[in-house]
CSV table of all heavy atoms in Angstrom, one decimal:
chain,number,residue,atom,x,y,z
M,126,ALA,N,360.2,84.5,166.3
M,126,ALA,CA,361.0,85.1,167.3
M,126,ALA,C,362.1,85.8,166.7
M,126,ALA,O,362.5,87.0,167.0
M,126,ALA,CB,361.6,84.0,168.2
M,127,VAL,N,362.7,85.3,165.7
M,127,VAL,CA,363.9,85.9,165.0
M,127,VAL,C,363.4,87.1,164.2
M,127,VAL,O,364.0,88.2,164.3
M,127,VAL,CB,364.6,84.9,164.0
M,127,VAL,CG1,365.6,85.6,163.2
M,127,VAL,CG2,365.2,83.8,164.8
M,128,GLU,N,362.2,87.1,163.6
M,128,GLU,CA,361.6,88.2,163.0
M,128,GLU,C,361.5,89.4,163.9
M,128,GLU,O,361.8,90.5,163.6
M,128,GLU,CB,360.3,87.9,162.4
M,128,GLU,CG,360.4,87.4,161.0
M,128,GLU,CD,358.9,86.9,160.6
M,128,GLU,OE1,357.8,87.5,161.0
M,128,GLU,OE2,358.8,85.9,159.8
M,129,ALA,N,361.0,89.1,165.1
M,129,ALA,CA,360.8,90.1,166.2
M,129,ALA,C,362.2,90.7,166.5
M,129,ALA,O,362.4,91.9,166.7
M,129,ALA,CB,360.1,89.5,167.4
M,130,PHE,N,363.1,89.7,166.8
M,130,PHE,CA,364.4,90.2,167.2
M,130,PHE,C,365.1,91.1,166.1
M,130,PHE,O,365.5,92.2,166.4
M,130,PHE,CB,365.3,89.0,167.3
M,130,PHE,CG,366.7,89.2,167.6
M,130,PHE,CD1,367.2,89.8,168.8
M,130,PHE,CD2,367.7,88.8,166.6
M,130,PHE,CE1,368.5,90.1,169.0
M,130,PHE,CE2,369.0,89.0,166.8
M,130,PHE,CZ,369.5,89.7,168.0
M,131,VAL,N,364.9,90.7,164.8
M,131,VAL,CA,365.6,91.5,163.7
M,131,VAL,C,364.9,92.8,163.7
M,131,VAL,O,365.5,93.9,163.5
M,131,VAL,CB,365.4,90.8,162.4
M,131,VAL,CG1,365.8,91.6,161.2
M,131,VAL,CG2,366.2,89.5,162.4
M,132,ALA,N,363.6,92.9,163.9
M,132,ALA,CA,362.8,94.2,163.8
M,132,ALA,C,363.3,95.0,164.9
M,132,ALA,O,363.4,96.2,164.7
M,132,ALA,CB,361.3,93.9,164.0
M,133,THR,N,363.6,94.5,166.1
M,133,THR,CA,364.0,95.3,167.3
M,133,THR,C,365.4,96.0,167.0
M,133,THR,O,365.7,97.1,167.3
M,133,THR,CB,364.1,94.5,168.5
M,133,THR,OG1,363.2,93.5,168.4
M,133,THR,CG2,363.9,95.4,169.7
M,134,ILE,N,366.3,95.2,166.4
M,134,ILE,CA,367.7,95.6,166.3
M,134,ILE,C,368.0,96.2,164.9
M,134,ILE,O,369.0,96.8,164.8
M,134,ILE,CB,368.8,94.5,166.6
M,134,ILE,CG1,368.5,93.4,165.6
M,134,ILE,CG2,368.6,94.0,168.1
M,134,ILE,CD1,369.8,92.6,165.3
M,135,ARG,N,367.0,96.3,164.2
M,135,ARG,CA,367.3,96.7,162.8
M,135,ARG,C,367.9,98.2,162.8
M,135,ARG,O,368.7,98.6,162.0
M,135,ARG,CB,366.0,96.7,161.9
M,135,ARG,CG,366.3,96.8,160.4
M,135,ARG,CD,364.9,96.5,159.8
M,135,ARG,NE,363.9,97.3,160.3
M,135,ARG,CZ,362.7,97.0,160.1
M,135,ARG,NH1,362.2,95.9,159.4
M,135,ARG,NH2,361.8,97.8,160.6
M,136,ASN,N,367.4,99.0,163.8
M,136,ASN,CA,367.8,100.4,163.7
M,136,ASN,C,369.2,100.6,164.4
M,136,ASN,O,369.9,101.6,164.2
M,136,ASN,CB,366.8,101.2,164.6
M,136,ASN,CG,365.5,101.3,163.9
M,136,ASN,OD1,365.4,101.0,162.7
M,136,ASN,ND2,364.5,101.6,164.6
M,137,ILE,N,369.7,99.5,165.1
M,137,ILE,CA,371.0,99.6,165.6
M,137,ILE,C,372.0,99.2,164.5
M,137,ILE,O,371.9,98.2,163.9
M,137,ILE,CB,371.3,98.6,166.8
M,137,ILE,CG1,370.2,98.9,167.9
M,137,ILE,CG2,372.6,98.9,167.5
M,137,ILE,CD1,370.1,97.8,168.9
M,138,ASP,N,372.9,100.1,164.1
M,138,ASP,CA,373.6,99.8,163.0
M,138,ASP,C,374.9,99.0,163.5
M,138,ASP,O,376.0,99.4,164.0
M,138,ASP,CB,374.2,101.2,162.5
M,138,ASP,CG,375.0,101.0,161.1
M,138,ASP,OD1,374.6,100.0,160.5
M,138,ASP,OD2,375.7,101.8,160.8
M,139,VAL,N,374.7,97.7,163.2
M,139,VAL,CA,375.8,96.7,163.6
M,139,VAL,C,376.0,95.7,162.5
M,139,VAL,O,375.1,95.1,161.9
M,139,VAL,CB,375.3,96.0,164.9
M,139,VAL,CG1,374.0,95.1,164.8
M,139,VAL,CG2,376.4,95.2,165.5
M,140,PRO,N,377.3,95.4,162.3
M,140,PRO,CA,377.7,94.4,161.3
M,140,PRO,C,377.1,92.9,161.7
M,140,PRO,O,377.1,92.7,162.9
M,140,PRO,CB,379.2,94.3,161.2
M,140,PRO,CG,379.6,95.4,162.0
M,140,PRO,CD,378.5,95.9,162.9
M,141,LEU,N,376.8,92.2,160.8
M,141,LEU,CA,376.2,90.9,161.1
M,141,LEU,C,377.1,90.0,161.9
M,141,LEU,O,376.7,89.3,162.9
M,141,LEU,CB,375.8,90.1,159.8
M,141,LEU,CG,375.1,88.8,159.9
M,141,LEU,CD1,373.7,88.9,160.6
M,141,LEU,CD2,374.9,88.1,158.5
M,142,ASP,N,378.5,90.1,161.7
M,142,ASP,CA,379.4,89.1,162.3
M,142,ASP,C,379.3,89.5,163.8
M,142,ASP,O,379.3,88.6,164.7
M,142,ASP,CB,380.8,89.4,161.8
M,142,ASP,CG,381.0,88.7,160.4
M,142,ASP,OD1,380.0,87.9,160.1
M,142,ASP,OD2,382.0,88.9,159.8
Side-chain angles (χ1 to χ4, degrees):
Chain M
V127 171
E128 268 171 33
F130 170 70
V131 170
T133 331
I134 59 151
R135 200 172 45 201
N136 294 340
I137 310 169
D138 190 21
V139 62
L141 183 63
D142 285 352

